[in-house]
Amino acid sequence: AASRKRRPKGRYVPAAKRARAGGARQLETGMCGILITCNMNERKCVAEAYSLLGEYGEELYGPEQFTEYDEIGGSGSEEAAEEEDDAEAAVKKEVDQIRTSTEQKLRRFQSVESGANNVVFIRTLGVEPEKLVHHILKDMHTTKKKKTRVILRMLPVSGTCKAFLEDMKRYAETFFEPWFKAPRKGTFQIVYKARNNSHLSREVVIKELAGVVGHLNPENKVDLSNPEFTVVVEIIKNICCLSVVKDYVLFRKYNLQEVVKDSQGDGQSGARKVQREGSLEGAGRDKEKAEGKDSHVETTEEKASNNHKEDNQ
């Protein structure tokens, strides 16, 4: 009985080794990509994502050039094989050839396990996620042409780190520099969503990240009605996904279903949102600087709560 319990363990070892050999198959630190939410049908979501990203990716970056794994250093050097002209070298060369033929090509867009239900993560290669997603939403907002059925929101992820507060603060200090480090400055808000993670507090995370932005340049100000930049914080398990995006309000929180709707309807709902949130921001600006930071944190946290009450994903 004991041997029967142990035996299945080994069955997963070869699969784990293959996954490591061919590259990561799940979301992990160091990745860039696009986080996509959907309504139940993840397989259809991936298919839609490939189609949409392929179309606009080719517009921005030209036809995709496939890269074999061993072209970027995945296999042994040819010189070593030539120097060792013996049976061992021949076997090694054959093994490398078999591995290369079966390994996944490194593609411009590749789906990996996100770690959460109804969430798809598309890893990108040679692509600026923020630029690409903004380009897609700008075109859909202009043309009002609906191009997806199951994709809800499409959020760029240009940085990932461990989802522990100190790691996030340390990573954000460098990550935020292109947008917020003096002499650069801008108005901003922070939106936060956590999935399958219970050890982080929304209030604490937003407070600390807002503090990082303020430290980079005290002239960076919170604006909940129409900020220049929106800091998107998406936590899945122990991974923190970060991005800084433009036109978050205009593009309806980067929701592909909402951004193509009639502009008059968008304007009416947007006006109500601005009026509601603008009063919160006005109250925060009347306080002293030290208190103002806390006020900004609170109002930004409230914004995050409002965002995710409306968007279940």
Side-chain angles (χ1 to χ4, degrees), residues 6-244:
R6 290 193 204 99
R7 200 172 297 134
K9 248 185 194 180
R11 299 163 96 185
Y12 300 97
V13 174
K17 288 181 178 177
R18 285 196 301 272
R20 287 195 295 270
R25 298 293 196 275
Q26 62 183 8
L27 177 60
E28 59 184 35
T29 58
M31 281 188 176
C32 292
I34 299 167
L35 188 150
I36 302 171
T37 64
C38 62
N39 189 7
M40 302 303 291
N41 196 336
E42 291 184 24
R43 182 176 296 181
K44 176 66 173 174
C45 177
V46 171
E48 284 189 352
Y50 280 154
S51 175
L52 192 67
L53 295 174
E55 175 188 346
Y56 287 95
E58 192 163 318
E59 282 185 14
L60 287 182
Y61 302 103
E64 181 173 5
Q65 301 295 325
F66 295 100
T67 305
E68 293 285 0
Y69 179 74
D70 59 314
E71 285 180 8
I72 60 171
S75 64
S77 66
E78 293 181 4
E79 291 82 355
E82 291 174 359
E83 290 174 3
E84 298 180 11
D85 188 15
D86 55 16
E88 185 178 349
V91 171
K92 180 179 182 301
K93 184 177 180 180
E94 185 177 356
V95 170
D96 285 344
Q97 288 174 343
I98 294 172
R99 183 198 63 191
T100 300
S101 66
T102 57
E103 270 177 347
Q104 169 188 356
K105 292 180 178 179
L106 296 181
R107 306 195 57 171
R108 180 178 284 170
F109 304 110
Q110 180 61 52
S111 173
V112 300
E113 291 292 332
S114 69
N117 292 331
N118 299 324
V119 178
V120 168
F121 190 87
I122 305 293
R123 183 184 62 193
T124 58
L125 179 68
V127 167
E128 299 172 82
E130 288 153 359
K131 180 180 178 181
L132 176 59
V133 175
H134 189 274
H135 178 67
I136 293 171
L137 285 158
K138 183 179 180 181
D139 183 62
M140 294 179 68
H141 180 264
T142 301
T143 63
K144 299 300 179 186
K145 183 178 179 181
K146 186 174 181 178
K147 296 196 171 187
T148 63
R149 298 186 65 181
V150 300
I151 292 177
L152 298 179
R153 301 175 73 205
M154 183 174 276
L155 299 170
V157 175
S158 50
T160 49
C161 64
K162 288 290 185 182
F164 299 99
L165 192 58
E166 289 305 314
D167 295 83
M168 293 164 64
K169 286 170 58 181
R170 186 163 49 248
Y171 185 79
E173 287 171 0
T174 302
F175 179 79
F176 287 158
E177 285 184 358
W179 298 275
F180 299 117
K181 185 177 181 180
R184 300 180 185 90
K185 62 181 180 178
T187 58
F188 73 99
Q189 65 173 343
I190 299 176
V191 294
Y192 175 97
K193 174 71 176 178
R195 298 176 175 87
N196 299 335
N197 180 300
S198 58
H199 72 268
L200 286 174
S201 160
R202 174 190 276 114
E203 288 186 3
V204 172
V205 169
I206 291 177
K207 178 180 179 180
E208 294 296 335
L209 294 183
V212 171
V213 175
H215 178 74
L216 289 172
N217 187 344
E219 293 187 33
N220 292 319
K221 303 296 182 183
V222 170
D223 182 348
L224 301 179
S225 60
N226 190 27
E228 294 176 61
F229 304 109
T230 295
V231 178
V232 178
V233 184
E234 291 278 338
I235 309 291
I236 302 180
K237 292 186 175 179
N238 66 336
I239 302 295
C240 170
C241 301
L242 285 174
S243 62
V244 180

Side-chain angles (χ1 to χ4, degrees), residues 289-301:
K289 184 176 180 181
E291 295 176 344
K293 289 182 180 178
D294 292 338
S295 173
H296 290 163
V297 168
E298 291 171 359
T299 55
T300 307
E301 192 276 332

